[in-house]
Amino acid sequence: EINQNTYLVGGELKKWTGETADIYSSVSSTPEYKPTRLGKIPQLGKEQALDALNAACKAYDKGQGEWPTMKVIDRIACMEKFVEQMKTKREDIVKLLMWEIGKSLPDSEKEFDRTVDYIYDTIEEYKQLDRDSAKFEKHDGVYAHIRRGSLGVVLCLGPYNYPLNETFALLIPAIIMGNTVIFKPAKHGVLLMTPLLEAFQNSFPKGVVNIIYGRGRVVATPIMETGKVDVLALIGNSTSANALQESHPRQNRLRLVLGLEAKNPAIVLPDADLDLTIDECIAGTLSFNGQRCTALKVLYVHENIVEEFNKRFAARVDALQFGNPWDQGAKLTPLPEPGKPAYIQGLIDDALEKGATILNEKGGKTTENYIFPAVLYPVSKDMRVFLEEQFGPVVPVLPFKDIQEPLHDMAESNYGQQVSVFGQNVKTLAPLVDTLVNLVCRVNLNSSCQRGPDVYPFTGRKDSAVGTLSVHDALRSFSIRTFVASKDN
Ligand code: G3H
């Protein structure tokens, strides 16, 4: 058990003796289901949250602090020190990923390794930015050296589905660009920061990284209400993002880096290679139980092939193995949110009432910590499973006759992150891509939607995102392009 009783503020691991929250895992350590107690974390109050804010403000010191003015080479040294220490915690963190969020062993290892790579790649990109600043532009007799300047104090909140990787996709670029940060981990995946607290403490100057725990409304809202936060960096849901943004007194001046909901569709054209399409749609809909913002959340299949697709897809879903995260071959694993099976059941019931059927035999079968993915067909546009971002194991399939039908839905949708298109005829695909690039930010040809490789821009249109993440773009999102102008170079 991890009984976390400290939090990081102003370079100090402060002891907490007040209220705590117990952390339970939906992964059962016994054959009969019983949630496993993993430990506890502090539930800080407003006072501690504001201490963290003040520490971040002091370290930033309106842009004149040690960190924002530090030489690039020294900031890199701090980041390298951090990542070297982080690497020694691989085993602990992988274990916590499995227990806290039910992520399979290979995916947990991948999340850790991807994060380490992300940090090293960010360092390289930062060096490149610095090299670029040594070059100059000359226009009308004025030389300009471009320098990326920091933005200020960042409040950072990460998601539970990638509590390490996506959180660090915000945190690492925010820090390295000279900003100071107050970071509140997600509810599930919170304990995995414990092995890293000391690494944060001894790698960066005091107050650069402050880590707090507690309920959003108790700790994050008061921080926003002071108006001292310059950047809200959040991956999660728009309800939280909107509430936090609105609690900032000068919200129009607040910079946002947000990764929010998505309802990425797959469009399966009549000439699609069905073997490949089904492989990709299985991975796209059900990797990590569909708990990915990039998951395929609705499948549009052309009416000429929908029967064949459904038969083969449903059989493949039923063949997926459910198990504990460390069980070899387990593709479906316990859901970390206790209310998720009931929520998914609600979506299924609604679809059945409105005329859909479950295509796979095991679909909708529940246990205390899981609901087996149901493939629902035919899904109509009044069904909740079509309208809501399910973020879990249920797959809606819609037949279409004319490509204008999915395009119309995408244009009407509040979201616009990615799309997958399956088909082989270049003459059909090329004009389709010309339209799709105006509806989403990434078009995946004959492959499922995903964020990586992390060098590519990760963003979305409409309510799906604000700002862009990636090794390349995040450094720009967390900084401002400034320049030094002179008459001589
Ligand atoms: O939850 C959204 C994540 O950004 C998905 O990332 O495509 O690498 O699984 P991924």
Side-chain angles (χ1 to χ4, degrees):
E1 287 194 4
I2 295 182
N3 290 314
Q4 171 67 39
N5 62 355
T6 53
Y7 59 102
L8 180 62
V9 166
E12 267 179 64
L13 284 171
K14 305 237 185 207
K15 272 252 177 286
W16 175 248
T17 51
E19 189 194 347
T20 55
D22 290 322
I23 304 293
Y24 283 93
S25 169
S26 64
V27 179
S28 183
S29 52
T30 55
E32 306 76 51
Y33 180 70
K34 194 165 156 274
T36 310
R37 189 176 181 282
L38 298 180
K40 62 180 183 186
I41 49 151
Q43 291 293 91
L44 304 180
K46 180 175 172 178
E47 190 187 327
Q48 295 72 34
L50 294 182
D51 282 349
L53 171 71
N54 289 337
C57 290
K58 194 168 165 207
Y60 191 67
D61 194 16
K62 299 189 191 311
Q64 300 166 80
E66 178 192 3
W67 186 247
T69 57
M70 190 180 272
K71 282 201 176 72
V72 167
I73 190 172
D74 296 330
R75 253 194 241 155
I76 287 174
C78 294
M79 194 56 86
E80 282 173 343
K81 185 172 175 191
F82 173 76
V83 69
E84 288 306 314
Q85 291 178 53
M86 177 180 159
K87 282 190 326 201
T88 66
K89 307 290 180 190
R90 185 178 191 267
E91 204 183 316
D92 295 347
I93 291 176
V94 166
K95 207 185 277 175
L96 281 163
L97 278 165
M98 291 193 285
W99 279 99
E100 282 199 271
I101 63 163
K103 193 167 270 193
S104 70
L105 174 61
D107 285 351
S108 296
E109 288 176 333
K110 194 163 135 200
E111 174 158 357
F112 185 90
D113 297 340
R114 178 180 181 181
T115 309
V116 168
D117 290 346
Y118 194 99
I119 299 175
Y120 282 120
D121 291 348
T122 296
I123 290 171
E124 284 313 308
E125 183 67 26
Y126 183 48
K127 285 181 186 164
Q128 185 57 46
L129 266 185
D130 187 48
R131 281 194 289 271
D132 290 347
S133 77
K135 299 175 197 150
F136 59 85
E137 294 175 18
K138 185 186 172 200
H139 298 285
D140 298 335
V142 178
Y143 293 93
H145 290 261
I146 305 298
R147 294 273 294 268
R148 302 291 313 186
S150 60
L151 296 175
V153 173
V154 181
L155 176 64
C156 176
L157 297 100
Y160 83 80
N161 64 338
Y162 276 98
L164 184 72
N165 181 263
E166 281 220 80
T167 299
F168 277 34
L170 298 171
L171 207 51
I172 298 301
I175 296 169
I176 208 166
M177 291 316 291
N179 305 290
T180 61
V181 178
I182 309 122
F183 162 50
K184 185 184 105 58
K187 187 169 164 207
H188 306 285
V190 59
L191 288 175
L192 60 83
M193 283 302 147
T194 303
L196 296 176
L197 283 182
E198 282 183 13
F200 275 118
Q201 184 196 20
N202 59 38
S203 302
F204 300 103
K206 284 182 187 151
V208 171
V209 184
N210 304 277
I211 302 182
I212 58 172
Y213 304 95
R215 296 175 200 91
R217 249 174 279 137
V218 179
V219 294
T221 307
I223 288 177
M224 292 302 284
E225 282 169 350
T226 62
K228 291 182 180 171
V229 169
D230 300 293
V231 185
L232 173 63
L234 177 149
I235 294 182
N237 63 64
S238 27
T239 313
S240 310
N242 293 345
L244 287 171
Q245 185 183 353
E246 282 158 20
S247 59
H248 192 290
R250 291 173 296 114
Q251 51 173 295
N252 294 343
R253 304 265 169 80
L254 179 70
R255 280 174 188 262
L256 301 170
V257 181
L258 306 177
L260 305 171
E261 293 89 351
K263 188 84 181 174
N264 294 341
I267 302 175
V268 185
L269 298 169
D271 65 337
D273 170 341
L274 271 194
D275 288 337
L276 174 147
T277 304
I278 287 168
D279 282 351
E280 291 292 321
C281 286
I282 288 284
T285 52
L286 293 171
S287 296
F288 193 39
N289 304 303
Q291 302 166 116
R292 299 160 58 232
C293 62
T294 50
L296 289 174
K297 298 198 178 100
V298 53
L299 307 181
Y300 291 91
V301 185
H302 192 271
E303 60 176 17
N304 291 358
I305 52 163
V306 72
E307 208 177 307
E308 177 71 7
F309 175 91
N310 281 345
K311 199 168 77 192
R312 291 169 60 181
F313 184 75
R316 284 285 300 280
V317 172
D318 270 356
L320 294 172
Q321 194 186 318
F322 174 75
N324 275 330
W326 48 86
D327 292 344
Q328 210 179 351
K331 296 282 181 210
L332 307 171
T333 46
L335 299 168
E337 293 177 293
K340 199 43 113 28
Y343 169 72
I344 298 287
Q345 186 65 59
L347 298 183
I348 296 174
D349 292 344
D350 172 78
L352 297 182
E353 264 166 41
K354 291 174 181 158
T357 53
I358 300 179
L359 296 181
N360 54 324
E361 223 169 276
K362 295 189 193 168
K365 296 221 163 39
T366 44
T367 58
E368 286 86 345
N369 58 355
Y370 201 65
I371 180 161
F372 201 89
V375 184
L376 294 169
Y377 181 82
V379 162
S380 55
K381 295 170 194 176
D382 57 340
M383 293 179 187
R384 286 178 53 205
V385 74
F386 176 80
L387 298 166
E388 296 174 24
E389 186 200 32
Q390 65 267 45
F391 216 79
V394 58
V395 186
V397 184
L398 278 82
F400 75 92
K401 193 184 178 80
D402 188 318
I403 188 65
Q404 291 310 320
E405 296 165 37
L407 291 181
H408 170 269
D409 292 349
M410 288 176 71
E412 291 301 314
S413 167
N414 291 335
Y415 308 121
Q417 191 200 63
Q418 301 190 18
V419 64
S420 290
V421 185
F422 296 94
Q424 302 189 69
N425 185 343
V426 178
K427 286 201 180 118
T428 321
L429 291 176
L432 184 55
V433 168
D434 289 344
T435 302
L436 290 171
V437 291
N438 297 312
L439 297 173
V440 292
C441 290
R442 174 164 166 167
V443 179
N444 299 279
L445 293 178
N446 295 307
S447 60
S448 60
C449 299
Q450 60 173 335
R451 181 166 39 121
D454 288 326
V455 71
Y456 291 129
F458 177 55
T459 185
R461 294 169 182 273
K462 300 188 255 185
D463 291 346
S464 285
V466 180
T468 305
L469 293 173
S470 80
V471 168
H472 175 271
D473 295 270
L475 294 184
R476 282 128 180 117
S477 297
F478 284 103
S479 62
I480 189 164
R481 193 166 183 253
T482 66
F483 68 101
V484 183
S486 64
K487 293 273 164 72
D488 305 308
N489 73 356

